[in-house]
Amino acid sequence: MTAANATKAEAAWSALEREGAKLRRIHLRSLFAENPDRAAQFSVRLDDLLFDFSREKLNADALNNLVALARAAGIEEHRDKMLAGEPVNTSENRAVLHTALRDSRFAPPQIQNDIHNSREQFLAFADNIRSGAVTAADSKPFTQVIHIGMGGSDLGARMTTRALSPDADGPEIRFVSNIDPAALHDALIGIDPARCLVIVSSKTFTTEETLANAQAVRGWLENSLGADAWQSHFAATTSQPARAAEFGVPPEHCFHYGEWVGGRYSVWSAAGLALALAVGRDAFLQFLRGAAAMDNHFHAAPLHENLPVLFALVGVWRRNIMGWPMVALVPYDERLENLAAYVQQLEMESNGKSVTREGRPVRRATSPVFWGGAATGVQHAFFQLLHQGTDIVPADMILARHPRDGAREHHQILQAHCLAQTRALAFGRSAEEVRDIMLAAGSDPDTADRLAPHRRLQGDRPSSVLLHDRLDAFSLGRLVALFEHRAFVTGCIWGINSFDQWGVELGKEIASALLPLVRGEDGDTAALDSATLALLSELGGGE
Ligand code: F6P
């Protein structure tokens, strides 16, 4: 950041802190009473997608200062560098080009052919599995798929395949991620080895859990199909095809993507093969087109009308100015039930950092904790805390204008619940209102007074709504790209590298060193701490 921009950014932060101190004391009820136009003023649209953040504790001055902060943080320059393929992942000296997978406009010329060929290869494979042109060892079609992967090589394919289940007309897809043997055991129940294609999805092809699960499935196939047949039942998606070949995956079943695709941004690449198998080429291409629509908007729209930028700025306001440490993600859509886990990785692996790009300690809090689940079920689980808990947890809700399945009446009930929750969170119900309602219902005044503190909801709790026409391949791609760009913009404002994940490495390294000891084999325990030694001994391993 230039010195001039750093000064501008500091001025914006100071102005935001002043606004925040003022707004913290003003109830959302008052903000709405003062300004009935909030819904129009604090919302932004991209086609049918509306981001309504009118129930955030913001005013016009705060919003202007947030946009000024984004400008001073050089969002436009960082965005353009990422889109142009500069090595914005500085700690790994890599470009970050998942956007190039969705629109050739964002693909540097030297990788355009590679992207096109790689996409054609895995989509043709998906076509051929779906049509039965590529068959199992017994020359009959594959009808079941086991997808093995971890983190970004699992969550994207899993979340999108579930989200687009109404479009699924290909083989049945099951996902295995955890190394807990229960995961594989349960996924294989009812699977016929003769009909089963296994996809090993791993960018590095070194992830221990993925490889151990792949070995186990290979053994399971060998046992029932014989030693020669398993290979024709295996496929891989990876940026390390040589390692997949070494494992034994036939080259014609191996689909690669570039090093410049981060694991948690990889569902647009061959790592999305499971989705393509489930929904077919056309829906997969629509999914890419939806993402490209968001990319083009992100690229072209001015900051104050830019949906991912405003989405990110609302998050910065919540986290850094209001000081709220969590975000609940609540899709009012059963098929988005895996979205919270997906966004958890996207946001927390990208922005759960404590140093800047330059390796200096960050000066402000970074990623909040993301959690959530599909409503309305979660209204009867964690919403109590959202309404009356001692922490304020802002909620991001996702709602469709129309159902996918024509069940209009159910969908209207769902919509009413979403609107009701955002309203109850923002406006609450005062003790006086509780008392009046109870008296009108025939309660005696003593009981009404005694129960009013319990039944009162203070309100003043923020939430935002993402509203779109319906969940389909296009709108899903657009939504996922929106979340990706939000994480990127937020990381830029905090001055961090959103594209590495060194924090995950140490645990992997220690687990490898501990495994022989857990197995009870000889090993060096001298450097271990007493707590680890005590647990090892509980497990029956170690000294
Ligand atoms: O959890 C760390 C991580 O490196 C993720 O970023 C990645 O998505 C996951 O492991 C799986 O890695 P791979 O695709 O190389 O198996």
Side-chain angles (χ1 to χ4, degrees), residues 92-138:
E92 296 175 303
N93 194 28
R94 270 187 203 153
V96 174
L97 278 169
H98 46 279
T99 42
L101 298 164
R102 353 205 246 213
D103 190 335
S104 57
R105 199 178 151 206
F106 300 120
Q110 67 276 19
I111 58 168
Q112 281 183 1
N113 275 347
D114 198 28
I115 290 175
H116 175 80
N117 294 342
S118 155
R119 185 192 302 135
E120 258 321 296
Q121 278 159 12
F122 79 83
L123 288 181
F125 182 70
D127 290 342
N128 290 337
I129 295 284
R130 286 163 57 85
S131 69
V134 168
T135 58
D138 61 3

Side-chain angles (χ1 to χ4, degrees), residues 42-120:
F42 299 104
S43 62
V44 59
R45 268 174 214 276
L46 170 58
D47 303 324
D48 61 292
L49 175 62
L50 171 78
F51 172 45
D52 166 15
F53 56 102
S54 58
R55 284 170 229 77
E56 301 291 335
K57 281 173 69 83
L58 277 167
N59 61 11
D61 287 343
L63 188 58
N64 289 338
N65 281 311
L66 283 167
V67 173
L69 175 65
R71 187 157 291 116
I75 296 302
E76 287 142 314
E77 293 80 13
H78 286 298
R79 173 197 64 198
D80 294 346
K81 278 185 189 170
M82 176 178 78
L83 294 177
E86 289 191 31
V88 295
N89 178 354
T90 42
S91 74
E92 296 175 303
N93 194 28
R94 270 187 203 153
V96 174
L97 278 169
H98 46 279
T99 42
L101 298 164
R102 353 205 246 213
D103 190 335
S104 57
R105 199 178 151 206
F106 300 120
Q110 67 276 19
I111 58 168
Q112 281 183 1
N113 275 347
D114 198 28
I115 290 175
H116 175 80
N117 294 342
S118 155
R119 185 192 302 135
E120 258 321 296

Side-chain angles (χ1 to χ4, degrees), residues 418-492:
C418 179
L419 268 50
Q421 291 299 328
T422 59
R423 183 171 153 71
L425 284 165
F427 300 106
R429 174 168 277 171
S430 69
E432 294 70 42
E433 287 168 327
V434 171
R435 199 170 178 280
D436 290 349
I437 291 166
M438 289 187 71
L439 293 179
S443 201
D444 64 84
D446 284 350
T447 307
D449 284 342
R450 186 169 56 79
L451 291 184
H454 298 276
R455 297 180 54 165
R456 154 185 188 257
L457 271 70
Q458 71 188 66
D460 204 25
R461 300 193 170 214
S463 61
S464 288
V465 178
L466 288 164
L467 180 68
H468 61 174
D469 271 357
R470 59 177 59 72
L471 182 66
D472 56 24
F474 184 90
S475 67
L476 180 69
R478 191 176 56 182
L479 194 65
V480 177
L482 168 65
F483 278 99
E484 287 178 347
H485 295 321
R486 173 176 73 170
F488 170 70
V489 172
T490 315
C492 288

Side-chain angles (χ1 to χ4, degrees), residues 179-235:
I179 189 57
D180 180 342
L184 185 57
H185 173 271
D186 292 359
L188 292 181
I189 293 172
I191 297 282
D192 175 359
R195 302 274 61 77
C196 175
L197 174 74
V198 179
I199 303 173
V200 186
S201 181
S202 175
K203 178 176 174 182
T204 57
F205 229 82
T206 58
T207 301
E208 186 177 32
E209 298 100 308
T210 301
L211 295 184
N213 277 329
Q215 280 293 357
V217 178
R218 173 181 162 169
W220 173 78
L221 285 177
E222 279 176 330
N223 279 344
S224 51
L225 305 180
D228 297 333
W230 74 271
Q231 282 181 295
S232 57
H233 284 242
F234 258 68

Side-chain angles (χ1 to χ4, degrees), residues 150-153 201-207 210 257 263-264 345 349 501 504-505 508:
M150 183 54 76
S153 297
S201 181
S202 175
K203 178 176 174 182
T204 57
F205 229 82
T206 58
T207 301
T210 301
Y257 50 93
R264 52 191 174 275
Q345 188 205 19
E349 209 166 75
Q501 59 284 320
V504 192
E505 296 306 317
K508 292 186 192 172

